[in-house]
Amino acid sequence: MDIDKLKEKIIRRIEETDDLGMLLDIQDIINNQSAAAEPAVAYGIESDEDIAAYTVDGKPMTRAEYMADIEAAEKEFEEGDFYTTDEVKKIVASWKK
């Protein structure tokens, strides 16, 4: 999706909504220039023990666990420990027996 279509989609959604909470959230995002520099603070996460994410199974993850998970994934990627697209396609194809 190109940027102009995305902007149109967002504008249309804003114009059609009556959800005050969503509109206030959008206003906060637009007005809060420091959110990019301090995303944890912008979203109310104050310590490494606060819940920052959930696993695909719904298990809560603290900020510390989430950051460790991201760092481990980045390290695996840097070390080349990942599947290629072709390898993933072969694995998925084997599920379709």
Side-chain angles (χ1 to χ4, degrees):
M1 178 179 302
D2 71 7
I3 194 162
D4 290 330
K5 287 183 181 179
L6 179 58
K7 287 178 184 180
E8 289 173 15
K9 186 176 180 179
I10 292 169
I11 290 167
R12 191 170 36 256
R13 178 73 193 270
I14 290 169
E15 289 175 340
E16 293 173 356
T17 191
D18 290 328
D19 184 341
L20 179 60
M22 182 179 78
L23 294 172
L24 290 171
D25 288 342
I26 292 168
Q27 181 181 8
D28 286 345
I29 291 167
I30 292 169
N31 291 338
N32 190 355
Q33 297 299 318
S34 65
E38 296 282 342
V41 174
Y43 292 101
I45 300 168
E46 296 177 1
S47 80
D48 282 348
E49 298 308 311
D50 287 344
I51 302 301
Y54 292 87
T55 66
V56 293
D57 298 327
K59 177 185 171 245
M61 296 176 74
T62 64
R63 181 179 188 279
E65 291 169 330
Y66 183 59
M67 295 305 295
D69 195 49
I70 290 171
E71 289 168 6
E74 288 173 343
K75 183 178 178 184
E76 287 176 10
F77 181 78
E78 289 169 3
E79 294 174 352
D81 189 15
F82 55 88
Y83 292 109
T84 65
T85 302
D86 290 335
E87 291 170 329
V88 171
K89 287 179 181 178
K90 287 178 186 175
I91 292 168
V92 171
S94 74
W95 297 343
K96 299 180 182 180
K97 293 183 180 181

